[in-house]
């Protein structure tokens, strides 16, 4: 068998695994790999401006395409810069493979130039990681890494490759890694669990589906099965921030997002339900609010591929360990086979309609300033009929986008939920655009968040990715300011965005088109111009500076203690609530 | 505001893992990362080809926490099997300790007598000291050590426990 260098083996494996794009940044410890990538016919390398940018691009690519995102960075600072994105992918279950260079094996442990203990640093923020000490192991590890990243509960896998392993040679053979000795996620639910779930759903008088990112992870078929199951049962659906789009927001069965900034109807329905069917969601604290007051009278079914998500914060009556797509398809089939008809839920729906009538997402009209909610609503209206992908940064704008931009399809909404990483959204948009060249990809950003990876303006220009960067500029870290208003009597400690750049000039300096929207009368035309202008466009949309995001369940409060507007804000909070994030 | 402590119960977990570099750090680090307790931990490879190791961990926590620990261990890629010996039914647990005691006269004779009762072996002796080797469940060793404390205990070395299900399976 012909021998190949480690670097050649790595790149050959990537080709064999169907990788088309690698997001990366070179350095001494990955030069052999970069040499193999030089003018490579199959693999496109996207040169980022900061390794964190590469990781979020890979996440955006992965979430919007369903394929794993691939990152290549050098040792030491390259690897440490990637850590935030690796952690982000772990928290949000994003399939990603991160290849890091390492100093030569004989130098490991000697504080060599640009040495960092990458495997040690990423052990608990990755799904799995490897230090590959021989080129003969490399093919197996790379294939196994992709298998682990993409199956079960998806997540980031790190492969640390010392430089001498990239140079040394070994025979190459394509390995088979599907039959792993210890890693075997359970995909199919036991038939008895499915039968039990069907009985509970059929008997329920006040059922609700609470769906999450797991349905997105499970692929478009899972969303299709969810729609069918909801149709069959006639039950209402709410979803987490991570699950938006799996069920169409345009459906009458849709109650909107639940949780801290969810709708009144979604949270009240959760509180009063007699059955919660949780599919691929993890009872996050942003969702449950005060645990002892969380849906006190319901039975709970939890469908999740990861057993550790079950009974972690909320005890459930029926755990179903399975892939959401597989379990939902089984439920649909079992429901039909049992000859069940949708129960009469009219009384339940009447109550829900009562909560809906509160219209909890209403917001005041524009004055001289644009209301940020209005800007999102306008963006939504202006993009109808287009294939739109929305990414967000983190803060109020993220919540407003979740509330006022409505998704009918999965994989169109990319946001950092679990880690809440400012700096995610803009690179994620570039990554999504790479994977969906024909889509209209818009990042909804805040003036503070966008500065965390603003350097990627250069990447977008270099690769001609026509992303739109829509900044809701309120000159504050709005979300922080809002909490200070709620909790610390409006002492705005360090939440003012002082010394902001002129975003339009900044855009232009990078070769982007820059647009400023100053007031309500410019909003519609400005958004239209953004959409119609080819190439990357940055919009500095000046919005009301002091708007707050409602509805809101303050931390540590119950679903029924929701604040609907500023008049309900007292400005102080008990220490117990202050101690919660 | 004060921070509440949760109630704890002790569980012995037996974990079979692929014997690969970093496996111990992965397991132990998971415990620290998630705030779980490790009261004792032992590890050794258990197959002729050195491919598989058994890790025995004594942990403590509320029943829900123990359940989470099991699930968190189970999802680690190199983990083959996790058994909660405490929940699983009858099991044997043993620990080995070396106990150095210095003293003369009555104390020395008493130490020897107690060692006999506990079936501890003398593995080293001088005219003024013994090193005892004792095996048994943790509470037996705890008792032995506390008795020796009055008789001139110098130092203790303990292995941490290993455990195994009773019976054929
Ligand atoms: C400023 C801010 C405010 C927020 N406010 C809210 C809010 O108001 N409401 C809200 O909902 N969230 C909010 N979040 C997000 C929140 O922090 C969590 O990220 C989110 O609620 C978790 O979503 P999820 O439960 O769908 O779980 P995910 O993190 O998406 O986890 C997916 C779950 O599904 C499982 N899974 C994965 N793949 C599969 C599969 N194939 N089959 C079956 N199961 C699978 C996983 O094991 C896991 O349990 C906010 C975040 C930020 C930053
Ligand atoms: C990396 C990082 N640092 C700090 C935070 C805490 N944080 C959450 S929201 C927020 C403010 C965001 O401000 P901006 O981007 O302007 O958005 P706005 O809330 O004003 O819409 C901060 C600082 C975070 N989520 N991520």
């Amino acid at each position: 068998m012909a021998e190949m260098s480690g670097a050649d083996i790595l790149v050959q494996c990537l080709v064999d695994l169907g990788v088309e794009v690698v997001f990366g940044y070179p350095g001494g410890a990955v030069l052999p790999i970069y040499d193999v990538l030089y003018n490579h016919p199959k693999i496109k390398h996207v040169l980022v401006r900061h390794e964190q940018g590469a990781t979020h691009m890979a996440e955006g690519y992965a979430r919007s395409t369903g394929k794993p995102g691939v990152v290549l960075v050098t040792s030491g600072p390259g690897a440490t810069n990637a850590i935030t994105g690796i952690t982000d992918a772990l928290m949000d279950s994003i399939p990603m493979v991160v290849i890091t260079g390492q100093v030569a094996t004989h130098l490991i442990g000697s504080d060599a130039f640009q040495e960092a203990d990458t495997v040690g640093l990423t052990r608990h923020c990755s799904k799995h990681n490897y230090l590959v000490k021989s080129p003969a192991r490399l093919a197996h590890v790379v294939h196994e890494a992709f298998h682990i990243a993409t199956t079960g509960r998806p997540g980031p896998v790190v492969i640390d490759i010392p430089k001498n392993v990239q140079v040394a040679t070994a025979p190459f053979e394509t390995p088979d890694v599907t039959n792993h000795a210890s890693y075997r996620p359970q995909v199919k639910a036991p038939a008895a669990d499915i039968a039990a779930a069907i009985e509970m759903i059929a008997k329920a008088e006040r059922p609700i589906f609470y769906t999450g990112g797991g349905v997105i992870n499970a692929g478009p078929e899972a969303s299709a099965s969810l729609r069918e199951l909801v149709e069959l049962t006639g039950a209402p659906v709410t979803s987490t921030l991570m699950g938006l789009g799996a069920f169409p927001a345009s459906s009458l069965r849709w109650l909107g997002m639940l949780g801290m900034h969810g709708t009144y109807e979604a949270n009240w329905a959760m509180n009063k339900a007699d059955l919660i069917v949780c599919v691929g969601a993890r009872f996050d604290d942003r969702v449950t609010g005060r645990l002892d007051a969380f849906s006190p009278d319901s039975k709970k079914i939890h469908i999740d591929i990861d057993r550790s998500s079950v009974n972690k914060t909320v005890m459930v009556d029926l755990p179903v360990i399975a892939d959401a797509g597989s379990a939902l398809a089984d439920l649909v089939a079992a429901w039909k086979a049992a000859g069940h008809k949708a129960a009469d839920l009219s009384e339940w729906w009447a109550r829900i309609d009562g909560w809906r009538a509160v219209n909890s997402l209403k917001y005041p009209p524009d004055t001289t300033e644009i209301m940020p909610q209005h800007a999102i609503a306008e963006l939504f209206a202006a993009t109808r009929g287009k294939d739109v992908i929305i990414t967000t940064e983190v803060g109020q704008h993220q919540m407003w986008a979740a509330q006022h931009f409505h998704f009918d399809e999965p994989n169109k909404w990319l946001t950092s939920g679990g880690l809440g990483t400012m700096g995610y959204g803009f690179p994620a948009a570039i990554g999504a655009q790479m994977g969906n060249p024909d889509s209209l990809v818009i990042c909804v950003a805040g003036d503070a968040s966008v500065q965390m990876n603003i350097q990627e303006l250069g990447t977008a220009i270099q690769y001609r990715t026509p992303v739109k960067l829509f900044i809701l500029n309120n000159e504050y870290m709005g979300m922080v300011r809002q909490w200070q208003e709620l909790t610390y009597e409006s002492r705005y400690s360090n939440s003012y965005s002082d010394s902001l750049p002129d975003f339009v000039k900044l855009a232009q300096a990078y070769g982007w088109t820059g647009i400023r929207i100053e007031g309500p009368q410019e909003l519609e035309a400005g958004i239209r111009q953004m959409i119609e202008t080819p190439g990357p466009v940055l919009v500095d949309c000046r919005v009301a500076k002091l708007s707050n995001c409602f509805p809101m369940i303050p931390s540590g409060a119950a679903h029924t203690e929701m604040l609907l507007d500023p008049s309900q804000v007292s400005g102080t909070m008990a220490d117990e609530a202050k101690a919660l994030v | 505001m004060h921070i509440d402590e949760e109630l704890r119960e002790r569980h012995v977990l037996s974990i079979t893992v692929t014997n690969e570099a970093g496996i111990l750090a992965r397991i132990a680090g998971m415990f620290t990362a998630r705030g779980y307790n490790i009261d004792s931990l032992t590890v050794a490879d258990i197959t002729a080809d050195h491919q598989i190791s058994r890790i025995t961990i004594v942990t403590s926590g509320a029943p829900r926490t123990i359940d989470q620990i099991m699930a968190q261990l189970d999802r680690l890629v190199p983990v083959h099997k996790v058994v909660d010996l405490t929940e699983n039914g009858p099991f044997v647990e043993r620990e080995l300790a070396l106990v150095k005691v210095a003293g003369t006269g009555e104390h020395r004779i008493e130490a020897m007598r107690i060692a006999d009762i506990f079936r501890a072996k003398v593995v080293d002796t001088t005219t003024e000291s013994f090193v005892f080797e004792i095996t048994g469940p943790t509470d037996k060793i705890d008792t032995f050590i506390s008795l020796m404390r009055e008789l001139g205990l110098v130092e203790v070395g303990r292995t941490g426990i290993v455990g195994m299900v009773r019976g054929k399976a």
Side-chain angles (χ1 to χ4, degrees):
Chain A
M1 207 183 301
E3 298 225 336
M4 283 164 67
S5 75
D8 279 318
I9 291 174
L10 169 70
V11 174
Q12 187 56 48
C13 288
L14 297 182
V15 171
D16 293 347
L17 286 157
V19 174
E20 290 165 350
V21 194
V22 172
F23 302 93
Y25 205 86
V30 282
L31 284 178
I33 301 170
Y34 270 86
D35 196 49
V36 179
L37 288 177
Y38 185 66
N39 287 336
H40 197 278
K42 294 232 171 90
I43 293 186
K44 170 171 174 166
H45 179 271
V46 175
L47 177 67
V48 300
R49 299 298 184 265
H50 185 295
E51 289 86 350
Q52 187 189 353
T55 56
H56 298 320
M57 282 179 209
E59 287 187 277
Y61 176 88
R63 191 67 163 185
S64 62
T65 63
K67 296 186 244 174
V70 182
V71 173
L72 172 61
V73 297
T74 192
S75 65
T80 55
N81 273 350
I83 281 181
T84 302
I86 296 171
T87 312
D88 194 88
L90 181 74
M91 291 290 270
D92 285 347
S93 303
I94 308 291
M96 178 157 100
V97 173
V98 179
I99 298 149
T100 56
Q102 182 55 275
V103 301
T105 45
H106 61 275
L107 295 174
I108 289 179
S110 70
D111 298 323
F113 178 63
Q114 295 197 323
E115 180 184 0
D117 175 12
T118 302
V119 162
L121 289 167
T122 59
R123 192 171 283 127
H124 303 292
C125 63
S126 61
K127 179 171 175 183
H128 196 51
N129 64 12
Y130 305 85
L131 171 63
V132 187
K133 288 189 174 163
S134 149
R137 288 273 305 145
L138 199 51
H140 184 88
V141 166
V142 174
H143 278 257
E144 186 175 289
F146 275 77
H147 176 61
I148 288 171
T150 52
T151 55
R153 179 179 185 166
V157 177
V158 178
I159 311 174
D160 199 24
I161 313 178
K163 196 170 180 184
N164 57 343
V165 175
Q166 300 168 29
V167 176
T169 59
F172 171 72
E173 205 178 356
T174 305
D176 174 21
V177 294
T178 43
N179 210 358
H180 196 276
S182 53
Y183 172 78
R184 293 183 181 169
Q186 180 172 324
V187 172
K188 181 126 181 95
D193 291 354
I194 296 292
I198 287 295
E199 283 317 304
M200 287 167 78
I201 298 171
K203 282 207 197 88
E205 292 172 2
R206 301 185 308 281
I208 183 166
F209 285 95
Y210 149 47
T211 67
V215 183
I216 311 277
N217 286 137
E221 307 78 27
S223 296
S225 298
L226 173 66
R227 290 158 196 226
E228 193 176 357
L229 185 62
V230 170
E231 214 36 65
L232 289 170
T233 58
V237 188
T238 179
S239 140
T240 66
L241 182 75
M242 297 311 292
L244 297 178
F247 190 78
S250 54
S251 163
L252 284 174
R253 305 245 181 263
W254 171 246
L255 305 191
M257 182 172 82
L258 84 166
M260 184 173 268
H261 291 291
T263 64
Y264 192 76
E265 55 269 33
N267 286 320
W268 272 84
M270 287 293 280
N271 187 264
K272 296 300 176 204
D274 70 348
L275 176 71
I276 287 178
V277 186
C278 167
V279 191
R282 56 185 175 83
F283 295 92
D284 183 80
D285 53 70
R286 296 280 111 141
V287 162
T288 59
R290 206 175 86 214
L291 274 175
D292 59 9
F294 174 72
S295 193
D297 303 320
S298 63
K299 292 244 183 267
K300 297 171 187 76
I301 301 173
H302 188 173
I303 301 170
D304 202 295
I305 203 158
D306 182 352
R307 178 162 101 64
S308 78
S309 283
V310 175
N311 292 337
K312 186 188 324 199
T313 57
V314 170
M315 299 304 270
V316 299
D317 302 277
L318 177 64
V320 180
I321 307 302
D323 171 65
S326 162
L328 286 165
D330 287 353
L331 288 171
V332 167
W335 180 275
K336 288 181 180 164
H340 285 304
K341 295 270 163 294
D344 178 9
L345 302 176
S346 50
E347 218 172 289
W348 180 223
W349 276 106
R351 290 178 75 181
I352 291 172
D353 287 338
W355 295 319
R356 263 181 178 160
V358 169
N359 189 15
S360 60
L361 296 181
K362 65 179 174 291
Y363 52 89
D366 294 345
T367 52
T368 52
E369 297 180 313
I370 298 171
M371 292 305 291
Q373 301 91 325
H374 178 211
I376 301 288
E378 196 62 49
L379 191 64
F380 178 67
T383 52
R384 289 315 77 211
K386 297 196 179 343
D387 177 25
V388 192
I389 296 174
I390 298 288
T391 76
T392 77
E393 295 290 347
V394 171
Q396 292 180 317
H397 62 276
Q398 176 188 28
M399 293 297 111
W400 285 318
Q403 293 172 336
H404 299 280
F405 204 103
H406 310 288
F407 298 89
D408 280 358
E409 298 299 331
N411 306 99
K412 305 291 180 197
W413 162 250
L414 322 181
T415 197
S416 168
L419 199 63
T421 310
M422 292 169 70
Y424 162 89
F426 176 36
I430 298 174
Q433 188 83 77
M434 295 282 177
N436 303 268
D438 300 324
S439 301
L440 173 60
V441 182
I442 306 173
C443 169
V444 175
D447 47 86
S449 294
V450 75
Q451 293 184 78
M452 287 224 176
N453 274 315
I454 192 84
Q455 74 287 346
E456 303 304 330
L457 285 166
T459 308
I461 277 292
Q462 180 175 348
Y463 297 94
R464 307 274 183 275
T465 43
V467 293
K468 314 299 174 194
L469 179 50
F470 190 72
I471 305 172
L472 292 181
N473 184 349
N474 55 11
E475 293 182 17
Y476 275 102
M477 295 174 198
M479 186 59 89
V480 173
R481 185 193 48 70
Q482 173 166 351
W483 280 54
Q484 290 171 334
E485 208 162 296
L486 249 62
T487 317
Y488 298 102
E489 297 167 315
S490 300
R491 289 186 293 279
Y492 295 160
S493 178
N494 291 280
S495 53
Y496 181 65
S497 290
D498 210 325
S499 309
L500 280 177
D502 180 332
F503 283 115
V504 170
K505 279 196 189 144
L506 185 66
Q508 288 161 351
Y510 272 98
W512 282 51
T513 304
I515 299 174
R516 180 163 296 121
I517 299 177
E518 307 258 16
Q521 66 292 348
E522 295 171 19
L523 185 60
E524 207 189 318
I527 289 176
R528 194 167 351 102
Q529 191 191 344
M530 172 185 89
I531 295 169
E532 286 169 4
T533 306
V537 182
L538 178 151
V539 178
D540 179 11
C541 183
R542 300 306 185 94
V543 295
K545 295 194 197 327
L546 299 177
S547 290
N548 284 340
C549 186
F550 292 103
M552 175 172 191
I553 303 169
S555 41
H559 278 175
T560 50
E561 297 168 328
M562 184 169 238
L563 307 178
L564 288 169
D565 58 65
S567 68
Q568 293 169 305
V569 171
S570 69
T572 58
M573 222 175 243
D575 282 353
E576 279 70 18
K578 272 188 195 164
L580 298 168
V581 280
Chain B
M1 192 188 85
H2 299 280
I3 297 170
D4 297 334
E5 293 273 330
E6 66 169 11
L7 285 164
R8 289 176 179 186
E9 51 187 51
R10 174 181 184 273
H11 284 244
V12 182
L13 310 181
S14 169
I15 310 150
T16 10
V17 298
T18 301
N19 188 12
E20 62 184 29
I23 180 66
L24 196 56
R26 199 178 289 284
I27 303 267
M30 190 279 286
F31 274 75
T32 44
R34 294 187 180 270
Y36 307 142
N37 305 302
I38 297 182
D39 298 335
S40 133
L41 183 153
T42 62
V43 55
D45 78 57
I46 54 168
T47 52
D49 58 5
H50 308 291
Q51 292 292 306
I52 307 282
S53 289
R54 169 174 293 175
I55 298 178
T56 309
I57 291 185
V58 182
T59 183
S60 54
R64 288 181 62 163
T65 310
I66 304 292
D67 186 59
Q68 259 300 303
I69 294 175
M70 300 280 292
Q72 293 294 350
L73 285 168
D74 221 17
R75 74 205 278 261
L76 298 175
V77 171
V79 169
H80 294 248
K81 195 166 159 209
V82 190
V83 182
D84 181 348
L85 293 174
T86 309
E87 282 289 301
N88 196 57
F91 73 104
V92 206
E93 66 173 84
R94 288 291 178 272
E95 178 176 7
L96 182 147
L98 295 176
V99 181
K100 184 180 282 183
V101 180
T104 50
E106 266 311 302
H107 275 179
R108 188 172 161 83
I109 293 162
E110 185 61 10
M112 206 44 209
R113 229 171 49 79
I114 292 173
D116 210 35
I117 294 167
F118 279 78
R119 280 188 264 164
K121 268 197 307 199
V122 176
V123 290
D124 177 71
T125 179
T126 67
T127 52
E128 288 176 15
S129 70
F130 292 119
V131 174
F132 296 114
E133 174 195 308
I134 176 170
T135 55
T138 297
D139 56 352
K140 170 181 164 185
I141 295 178
D142 288 345
T143 314
F144 182 72
I145 291 168
S146 70
L147 288 170
M148 287 303 142
R149 200 155 277 139
E150 295 169 33
L151 302 172
L153 182 71
V154 177
E155 64 174 321
V156 179
R158 295 173 76 148
T159 57
I161 81 149
V162 289
M164 199 170 276
V165 173
R166 287 186 190 271
K168 264 201 301 190

